[in-house]
Amino acid sequence: SQVDLFGHCWNSCLHNTRHIVFWIRSIATSDNNNIDIDNDDNAASATTTTTTMDLSFLYEGNNAAFVHLIGKYYVLCWVFHIFSAVVSSAYFPAYKEKDTKDKKSKVPTTFADRINWDYTNASIPYCALIFYFYVAAVLELRPLGLEGRWATQTFNSTHGITLHIASSLYETTNYIFAKKGLVFYLHHVVTVGGCITMLFFGRASYWCCLLGLVEGTNIPLGFVLGGPFRSTPAIKNSLAYKVNGVLLWVMYLVIRVPIPYSIYLLHADLNEHGLGKGDNVAWVFDDATMHSAWVVYMDLVGLFLWGLSMMWFSQITSGMMKALGIGIKATAIKKKAA
């Protein structure tokens, strides 16, 4: 039943998240940072206290709230998924059957087909929420300067990052059934790894939100790839569908292409005010070894995600040009001449 599914999703999410966070904390240092959040005005100030390393910290204060919030958002993603399944099954015939390769007959869709259909549809609302939270967080943290970029959490940053983690876990679950390639798993593993360090250690939330703005491109992408839109000729051939495709291309150009510049700005803070430098604010771990490891990890993650974005940007550019009829005549002339 749906209740059993929600229960299983909740317990699985809590179990896996606790182990991931415990592992990260245990290799950092025996004296760990505990973030004390003052939510009177939905803002957080990072203060450090010494605590004993044990699993109980996951059930105390902010960490318990973070873990449970991730669990709730994970369930919300499945609510969107189930809603898509119910509506699509009732109103979109392409959800249940598809054309054969020769397009002369219909065959039932596979379980993997339906999983792809539903998680693509579900991605539209939760990516819109993530993008909203991240935009709001960047706008409120940036004016606060160094403290805002490195030592402050807010309502919007916390909810944006927890939903980002939850949705990544949800999508990874779907990848198993949708038979996705290894690169998709790697994409989510490195993303969740970075988000977890910045959420549970209460530092660098601004940078997580700034880099996480790339999730906004998944909103128009969901409309481009979503089953209800691709399978309905009236929608696929409409001007609105083409405009959405152009919007996707523009958002990639504005948000994903400049990722290296965001990494450059992060390094500017690290070089001037990193661990033991300047104002000594730009760090996530106060241990020199872990600090260096985190910086290298973020560089590698940024490079990996930017490379994937550029690969996808190339495919999106080709698709947009084809949809707009750009370059088609030139190609046809060349083929005719040959």
Side-chain angles (χ1 to χ4, degrees):
S1 67
Q2 293 184 9
V3 174
D4 292 334
L5 174 62
F6 288 165
H8 174 72
C9 294
W10 176 272
N11 293 329
S12 176
C13 178
L14 292 182
H15 176 77
N16 292 331
T17 304
R18 287 167 185 160
H19 280 285
I20 293 171
V21 178
F22 175 74
W23 176 74
I24 293 175
R25 285 225 179 210
S26 66
I27 64 175
T29 176
S30 57
D31 294 328
N32 297 276
N33 294 333
N34 204 13
I35 308 302
D36 181 20
I37 297 181
D38 179 5
N39 283 321
D40 290 341
D41 58 354
N42 284 339
S45 59
T47 59
T48 57
T49 57
T50 301
T51 183
T52 303
M53 184 63 243
D54 58 53
L55 282 173
S56 64
F57 83 91
L58 285 170
Y59 302 94
E60 300 172 353
N62 303 322
N63 290 340
F66 294 157
V67 170
H68 284 85
L69 192 55
I70 290 171
K72 291 176 181 179
Y73 275 136
Y74 181 79
V75 173
L76 178 63
C77 292
W78 280 105
V79 171
F80 291 144
H81 185 109
I82 293 172
F83 179 79
S84 168
V86 172
V87 173
S88 299
S89 181
Y91 297 103
F92 295 94
Y95 183 73
K96 297 180 180 179
E97 57 181 17
K98 60 182 179 180
D99 292 327
T100 56
K101 291 183 178 180
D102 58 12
K103 296 185 178 181
K104 292 183 178 180
S105 60
K106 298 283 187 179
V107 293
T109 54
T110 65
F111 181 65
D113 292 330
R114 294 190 293 276
I115 286 291
N116 269 300
W117 176 299
D118 291 325
Y119 93 72
T120 301
N121 291 341
S123 71
I124 297 173
Y126 66 66
C127 283
L129 283 173
I130 294 172
F131 189 60
Y132 167 79
F133 284 135
Y134 278 167
V135 169
V138 168
L139 292 178
E140 64 190 354
L141 290 173
R142 185 172 180 77
L144 301 179
L146 274 173
E147 287 292 327
R149 295 196 296 272
W150 289 95
T152 306
Q153 289 178 304
T154 67
F155 174 90
N156 289 308
S157 69
T158 296
H159 280 263
I161 298 172
T162 52
L163 178 53
H164 198 168
I165 294 172
S167 63
S168 294
L169 295 175
Y170 156 78
E171 289 180 3
T172 302
T173 306
N174 279 273
Y175 289 167
I176 298 172
F177 303 104
K179 301 177 181 179
K180 289 290 186 178
L182 178 62
V183 67
F184 291 92
Y185 290 95
L186 290 176
H187 173 274
H188 281 6
V189 168
V190 298
T191 298
V192 170
C195 289
I196 282 179
T197 60
M198 290 179 270
L199 175 68
F200 284 88
F201 288 90
R203 302 190 65 85
S205 292
Y206 169 82
W207 296 106
C208 188
C209 296
L210 181 66
L211 293 169
L213 289 175
V214 298
E215 291 299 296
T217 62
N218 291 331
I219 304 169
L221 181 64
F223 285 109
V224 169
L225 300 180
F229 315 104
R230 288 189 298 110
S231 65
T232 306
I235 296 177
K236 189 174 182 180
N237 298 325
S238 68
L239 177 61
Y241 189 79
K242 293 180 180 179
V243 170
N244 178 76
V246 174
L247 176 62
L248 172 62
W249 185 85
V250 171
M251 291 187 71
Y252 254 77
L253 185 64
V254 174
I255 299 176
R256 287 186 179 262
V257 173
I259 287 176
Y261 182 65
S262 298
I263 298 297
Y264 165 79
L265 294 177
L266 183 148
H267 270 275
D269 272 2
L270 291 170
N271 292 333
E272 295 182 21
H273 305 286
L275 194 62
K277 301 177 184 178
D279 293 335
N280 191 32
V281 176
W283 50 269
V284 172
F285 298 97
D286 58 3
D287 174 81
T289 301
M290 289 301 300
H291 171 73
S292 298
W294 182 83
V295 172
V296 171
Y297 178 80
M298 289 304 297
D299 286 343
L300 293 175
V301 169
L303 182 62
F304 174 68
L305 296 181
W306 184 72
L308 284 178
S309 293
M310 291 304 94
M311 179 183 70
W312 294 331
F313 184 57
S314 175
Q315 296 172 354
I316 290 169
T317 300
S318 298
M320 182 189 69
M321 293 178 68
K322 181 179 179 181
L324 297 177
I326 301 174
I328 293 179
K329 292 182 179 179
T331 302
I333 292 173
K334 287 181 179 179
K335 287 184 178 180
K336 187 175 181 181

